[in-house]
Amino acid sequence: MKIRTLLVGLMAVGLSAAAVAAEPIVIKFSHVVAQDTPKGKAAEKFKELAEKYTSGAVKVEVYPNSTLYKDKEEMEALQLGAVQLLAPSLAKFGPLGVREFEVFDLPYIFDGYEALNKVTQGAVGQQLLAKLEPKGIRGLAFWDNGFKSFSANSPIKKPEDLRGKKMRIQSSKVLEEQMRELKSLPQVMAFSEVYQALQTGVVDGTENPHSNLFTQKMHEVQKHMTLTDHGYLGYAVITNKKFWDGLPAEVRTQLDKAMAESTAYANQIAKEENDKALEGVRASGKTEVYTPTAEEKAAFKKALVPVHKKMESRIGADLIQSIYKETGFDPAKL
Ligand code: LMR
């Protein structure tokens, strides 16, 4: 592009010539899921909008599917400044010392996207993101994925069916307690290793929103899946605080705009993408999909909601109460 054309373009979006170095500012965005997922698509949307709104002053490189970093490495890399954007699952902030994010893992705490969004898009969500600041991390947004189903190689109709099973989980103490409550054996494992662990029998089963299960082909190595909707999996989009604060103000304004629009997009496509993935699983004929009856679902709830009380000291009773208040969830009403 000719320099003059570039400058005219930049002025049109309110960027001063000084904001644009000869070399574009490179933002590496690393994540662990496939491109064809709510997070994968939203990362691509952010790239498109960020490059457009800054007229090329920013270049976003998206690395999907753990091609740049795996779960644990990516957090370290962000703090070191080797990568600029991540969107880890909310279940992966415990090892960083921010235990409060594990509140999102409490079984059945959200009765759907509407209840969830009251928290993520409201004051409680903002307070949670602020907890990242002392770690050198700026929380930019919450992106939705979806509600999880249990899968294994034997049918799952009641909580007892998972007894003794080795179940892969993300690195969350709440998820660990959830599995212990079912008397199954939780195994923390990076997302990039799950397919193989299921295929080789290192673990017997797992839990996923359908988009993750389907795009990683886990349904090809799991015979049964039950639509328990027992928990939520979603993301916090995060950046290195020093990097973000060091950006030219005009560039940051444009990136904030790109982030706000990509967030709306992510949260608009999440349910649809998960529904499509579930159809894909069904159509494959490889995993038998079971819809529990109301009584069966109630039995899972009864078995799992005690996890809330047990994890109070880790997450904070006040935080749990403030979420109940937003969503109207009442454990006494089960
Ligand atoms: C998982 O590890 O199962 C998920 O956190 C992966 C993801 O980023 O959705």
Side-chain angles (χ1 to χ4, degrees):
M1 195 189 304
K2 292 234 169 61
I3 297 287
R4 194 167 172 281
T5 321
L6 178 65
L7 285 176
V8 170
L10 291 169
M11 282 162 187
V13 294
L15 291 176
S16 67
V20 195
E23 293 292 315
I25 299 165
V26 175
I27 295 185
K28 291 188 183 166
F29 189 160
S30 173
H31 68 80
V32 300
V33 294
Q35 231 162 356
D36 201 16
T37 55
K39 175 163 67 178
K41 288 189 170 181
E44 290 301 327
K45 175 63 82 184
F46 176 74
K47 172 184 167 62
E48 175 201 321
L49 296 176
E51 292 179 354
K52 180 169 131 195
Y53 293 158
T54 63
S55 298
V58 165
K59 183 168 178 292
V60 181
E61 294 173 358
V62 181
Y63 298 89
N65 255 326
S66 311
T67 46
L68 191 58
Y69 298 111
K70 296 184 188 176
D71 288 329
K72 195 164 161 293
E73 304 162 356
E74 67 174 19
M75 285 286 200
E76 287 159 9
L78 187 84
Q79 287 182 295
L80 291 171
V83 66
Q84 289 71 39
L85 270 183
L86 303 175
S89 151
L90 301 164
K92 291 176 181 166
F93 287 79
L96 197 71
V98 191
R99 300 166 168 191
E100 292 88 342
F101 278 56
E102 292 179 2
V103 75
F104 290 99
D105 300 326
L106 289 173
Y108 293 107
I109 192 163
F110 303 110
D111 188 25
Y113 287 98
E114 204 185 312
L116 165 80
N117 289 156
K118 283 190 186 152
V119 175
T120 53
Q121 310 309 319
V124 178
Q126 284 311 309
Q127 285 155 19
L128 283 168
L129 292 181
K131 294 199 183 292
L132 298 169
E133 296 273 323
K135 309 284 172 196
I137 294 176
R138 168 80 34 88
L140 298 173
F142 288 99
W143 284 0
D144 289 351
N145 189 345
F147 292 85
K148 295 177 288 186
S149 287
F150 284 123
S151 65
N153 282 329
S154 45
I156 309 159
K157 293 196 172 171
K158 48 187 190 309
E160 296 75 31
D161 292 336
L162 289 171
R163 188 172 283 177
K165 301 259 180 248
K166 283 178 278 169
M167 299 293 284
R168 180 269 168 173
I169 56 163
Q170 305 171 83
S171 57
S172 154
K173 294 289 176 203
V174 169
L175 297 180
E176 204 172 305
E177 184 57 37
Q178 168 196 279
M179 293 307 187
R180 292 199 192 288
E181 209 66 28
L182 297 171
K183 310 237 174 348
S184 56
L185 310 166
Q187 314 259 323
V188 174
M189 191 179 284
F191 187 64
S192 52
E193 287 159 23
V194 184
Y195 174 87
Q196 209 186 353
L198 290 169
Q199 189 186 36
T200 56
V202 168
V203 290
D204 302 308
T206 186
E207 54 169 11
N208 272 301
H210 307 130
S211 58
N212 279 0
L213 178 102
F214 185 61
T215 54
Q216 296 296 322
K217 301 195 188 323
M218 291 183 210
H219 62 291
E220 294 183 1
V221 288
Q222 291 279 264
K223 291 201 174 70
H224 296 270
M225 177 169 94
T226 298
L227 306 181
T228 39
D229 281 336
H230 62 276
Y232 172 71
L233 191 155
Y235 311 104
V237 186
I238 56 176
T239 185
N240 180 300
K241 179 167 143 44
K242 215 160 138 196
F243 165 77
W244 200 254
D245 288 343
L247 288 169
E250 315 90 288
V251 169
R252 208 170 41 237
T253 305
Q254 297 306 323
L255 294 182
D256 283 338
K257 183 172 160 206
M259 183 55 67
E261 288 177 29
S262 328
T263 299
Y265 170 77
N267 298 350
Q268 176 207 318
I269 64 168
K271 182 170 185 314
E272 200 181 300
E273 289 293 318
N274 277 291
D275 289 349
K276 263 199 311 209
L278 178 58
E279 283 320 303
V281 175
R282 284 196 160 112
S284 77
K286 302 226 157 119
T287 297
E288 196 169 312
V289 178
Y290 180 71
T291 306
T293 62
E295 291 76 29
E296 285 165 341
K297 210 158 173 185
F300 274 101
K301 267 195 189 170
K302 194 155 175 263
L304 291 177
V305 168
V307 173
H308 294 210
K309 192 90 199 142
K310 288 200 177 146
M311 297 312 281
E312 231 174 52
S313 60
R314 180 173 170 86
I315 297 170
D318 290 352
L319 175 58
I320 299 177
Q321 286 303 328
S322 66
I323 294 191
Y324 288 172
K325 199 161 154 242
E326 287 291 340
T327 64
F329 181 87
D330 182 355
K333 274 203 195 139
L334 288 178

